[in-house]
Amino acid sequence: MSDSEKRTSHMLLKSINQQKVLYLIYSEGPISRVELAEKTGLSRQTVTNIVNRLLKEKVITVGEHMALESGSGRKRIALHVNSGKLYAIGIELAGKYIRGCVYNLRQERIASSERTIDKYGSIEVLLRLLHEVIDELLPQVPALDKIKGIGISMQGLVDSQNGIILRTPGIGVHRFPLKQLLEDKYHIPVYIENDVNLLSVNENMNGCLKDSRDNITIKFDYGTGGAIVSEKRLIPGSNFVAGEFGHYKGFYGADAYPCHCGRSGCLTTLASISGLSVSMKCTLEQFAEGVRNGDPKMLRLYELVIEGISIAITNIITFINPDSVLLSGRVLRTISPYMIPEIRARVIKQLPVTVNNVRIMHLEDKPDETKLAAGLVIKRAFEIPLDTLSL
């Protein structure tokens, strides 16, 4: 091995060791140097060097003294990640707007920016608006060298592993390397995930699904999407499109409207905001108002949508056998307060007895997707790649 290769290998190992230490301080803090050495397998001197470097850079901070070490008579010094001095940019990339916020790692909002548009029309327009949002946020970050990354929650299909957009609302772009383009421009790590996947991960970690091991999340919003979790692991599918329940065939005959996927009768053609606009030429609010006022056309549509959603959820539960199903999105919140109880009653009535103990829940409050996207940065920033754990 050449001297150059040795230096590169040494720097890589040094970086990995620091990441191991930082990850443990973040995930298990407050924690002492002694515990860090025990849990990482690193020498106490190596841990001390890393901790001193992180303290000097103000990435971590010293807290209160911990209990005495057994038999040593010495108090342990607690270490914490200095979450107020590290930052993440979270961006919600939706069908008609791009909204971004700067958060510290306590997830306290520091700054925000937004751009709206009726329709992107082209990837160039989307990129221009995205750049405008990011360019407006960066000067408001207290310390640019302490940004851990940019997280993007987006409606559409995403290859999250490689940061490639497979389909964008209103554009239909295939295999667009957004992560690479943004990292080349800003020299900041970029993480991209589908909005429903992000919602599902958050609810499984911290929300109403935290006690569930096998569950499904379905969001009826601008589009209709879903996420599948099995044994607490998100299932992406071979082409990153597992959980695309919006393309379940829910409508037939004269009610089978064309879908952007190239087929017809998909659930999203009537059970989403964009689908209502294209198929019925009405807004979600007009649909809801028609239902409230007893408009025969809208009441028929309401029954059609309720039945389509109920049958889809019934079959999904029967096929996958989850312990929980979480429903969310503006469609469910806006049309009628009776929509969720009606769906739940129809599903339970149609389910086989072998799977009818499933919990069907409704997330009433819309989570802030910029915060979820910033949370994605926090999660990735402290992850340790599995292939480095033995180093």
Side-chain angles (χ1 to χ4, degrees), residues 26-143:
Y26 174 74
S27 62
E28 299 190 21
I31 189 170
S32 70
R33 291 171 173 83
V34 173
E35 290 171 310
L36 288 171
E38 291 172 350
K39 294 190 176 190
T40 60
L42 301 173
S43 70
R44 291 197 181 188
Q45 186 58 54
T46 298
V47 168
T48 296
N49 292 340
I50 291 171
V51 166
N52 288 343
R53 185 162 59 247
L54 293 173
L55 284 169
K56 184 178 180 180
E57 295 173 357
K58 298 183 179 179
V59 173
I60 63 173
T61 185
V62 173
E64 297 179 357
H65 283 78
M66 302 172 70
L68 294 175
E69 294 176 44
S70 177
S72 71
R74 297 179 59 189
K75 287 186 177 181
R76 299 177 298 162
I77 298 174
L79 301 168
H80 308 258
V81 169
N82 193 2
S83 302
K85 298 295 183 182
L86 298 174
Y87 306 96
I89 292 177
I91 291 177
E92 178 185 3
L93 203 166
K96 292 181 178 290
Y97 63 88
I98 299 174
R99 189 164 67 94
C101 295
V102 177
Y103 294 90
N104 61 28
L105 265 61
R106 296 192 194 108
Q107 292 209 313
E108 298 166 336
R109 185 185 299 176
I110 294 170
S112 62
S113 176
E114 184 171 348
R115 295 293 186 276
T116 59
I117 193 169
D118 186 56
K119 187 177 182 180
Y120 296 115
S122 69
I123 199 66
E124 289 76 20
V125 172
L126 183 150
L127 273 178
R128 175 175 60 79
L129 296 177
L130 183 55
H131 289 160
E132 287 179 7
V133 168
I134 295 173
D135 292 342
E136 198 169 283
L137 292 173
L138 286 174
Q140 301 182 72
V141 179

Side-chain angles (χ1 to χ4, degrees), residues 296-366:
K297 180 181 177 182
M298 294 305 173
L299 288 176
R300 179 187 179 278
L301 178 59
Y302 177 76
E303 173 60 28
L304 191 65
V305 170
I306 285 278
E307 187 64 9
I309 290 175
S310 300
I311 292 174
I313 293 174
T314 300
N315 286 333
I316 290 164
I317 292 171
T318 304
F319 294 154
I320 300 177
N321 188 26
D323 54 63
S324 305
V325 174
L326 177 62
L327 306 178
S328 70
R330 284 177 289 170
V331 171
L332 303 182
R333 291 198 307 271
T334 304
I335 294 176
S336 168
Y338 308 109
M339 197 167 187
I340 293 296
E342 286 189 52
I343 291 172
R344 186 183 288 116
R346 294 189 191 200
V347 170
I348 295 300
K349 184 178 180 179
Q350 297 176 100
L351 278 175
V353 294
T354 50
V355 294
N356 68 3
N357 61 337
V358 64
R359 294 186 302 162
I360 301 175
M361 298 176 288
H362 177 220
L363 190 64
E364 294 186 11
D365 297 325
K366 180 182 184 296

Side-chain angles (χ1 to χ4, degrees), residues 14 25 53 91 108 136 157 195 228 277 336-337 368 371:
K14 186 177 178 180
I25 297 173
R53 185 162 59 247
I91 291 177
E108 298 166 336
E136 198 169 283
L157 302 183
D195 61 331
I228 303 170
S277 176
S336 168
D368 188 328
K371 183 175 284 190

